Amino acid sequence: MAELLDIVAYIINRYPQNLHHELSNARLTKMVYLSDWHSSLRNGSQISQIKWYFDNHGPYVNDVIDLARSNRDLFSIEETTNAYGGKKRQIGLKKTYEPKLSKKEKASIDRIIEITKTQYWAEFINLVYGTHPIASSERYTFLDLKKKAKEHIASKSG
C-alpha cells in the first residue's frame, strides 16, 4: 500500500492543470476512494490504507484534509466557494514533489483521472454512488473494498 501523501500528490500532479480549481477536499477524497475501488477490482487490494466510511456524503473520511493540514509545507488549502455558492477547500501543491507509487497504483489513479476529469460534480457524484460498495452497503458503515470487489466480480461471472 502507498502512503496517502504520495497518492494525493500524484492526483494533484496528474490532474489537468486547467481543472485544478476542481480539486476540492471532497473531490480529492472521492478520487482516492475511486482509485482504491479500481485497484481493489483489478489488483485485489486498495492503494491507500484508508478505512472507508459510508456517511451522508458517500464514502468519506477526514484523512485527505488532515494530511493537507499537517503538511502545510507541501500542500496549500484555499477556502473558496463551489458552483452552488457553498464553501469548499481547494487543495494544491506548493512545490514539486515526486510521489513514490508502483506502476499498478499509478495505473489505477490514472484511470480514475481519465474517467472523471471531464465530469461536473453531479456526474462525478453519480459515479461514486454507483460503485458497488456504496450501492450495496448501508449508510454509517465501514466499507471493506477488498470484500466488495470479490463480491462484485463473483456477481458478474455468475
Side-chain angles (χ1 to χ4, degrees):
M1 287 188 189
E3 294 294 323
L4 184 59
L5 185 141
D6 292 310
I7 297 166
V8 173
Y10 186 80
I11 292 170
I12 294 169
N13 279 338
R14 299 288 292 181
Y15 211 72
Q17 197 68 21
N18 63 323
L19 298 174
H20 270 216
H21 64 280
E22 297 285 338
L23 292 177
S24 65
N25 173 51
R27 190 169 186 114
L28 265 172
T29 298
K30 285 169 179 34
M31 288 187 70
V32 174
Y33 163 78
L34 289 170
S35 298
D36 274 347
W37 174 235
H38 185 272
S39 181
S40 295
L41 287 169
R42 297 289 183 264
N43 308 315
S45 63
Q46 291 183 198
I47 298 170
S48 81
Q49 298 175 22
I50 292 176
K51 189 171 182 182
W52 290 102
Y53 186 73
F54 181 13
D55 75 357
N56 279 337
H57 306 288
Y60 191 78
V61 291
N62 286 317
D63 298 43
V64 172
I65 194 66
D66 290 346
L67 171 82
R69 286 181 177 140
S70 66
N71 290 278
R72 293 285 185 140
D73 57 320
L74 180 60
F75 295 104
S76 62
I77 304 170
E78 181 183 347
E79 299 284 336
T80 184
T81 54
N82 63 28
Y84 307 103
K87 292 181 182 178
K88 76 173 183 179
R89 290 181 222 109
Q90 186 175 323
I91 300 175
L93 285 173
K94 289 183 175 179
K95 59 185 177 185
T96 303
Y97 178 80
E98 191 59 42
K100 299 157 202 70
L101 298 169
S102 71
K103 285 183 181 181
K104 284 183 177 182
E105 292 164 341
K106 288 178 180 178
S108 283
I109 297 168
D110 287 341
R111 182 68 183 132
I112 296 308
I113 291 171
E114 189 60 33
I115 291 168
T116 64
K117 69 183 179 185
T118 59
Q119 294 181 338
Y120 291 107
W121 184 251
E123 187 178 6
F124 177 75
I125 287 300
N126 285 339
L127 173 67
V128 171
Y129 274 82
T131 61
H132 179 70
I134 297 299
S136 66
S137 299
E138 292 194 28
R139 286 185 197 269
Y140 314 113
T141 60
F142 285 97
L143 304 170
D144 183 340
L145 298 190
K146 186 176 180 177
K147 178 182 171 188
K148 289 292 183 181
K150 288 179 183 175
E151 190 179 279
H152 183 70
I153 290 166
S155 74
K156 296 294 181 193
S157 63

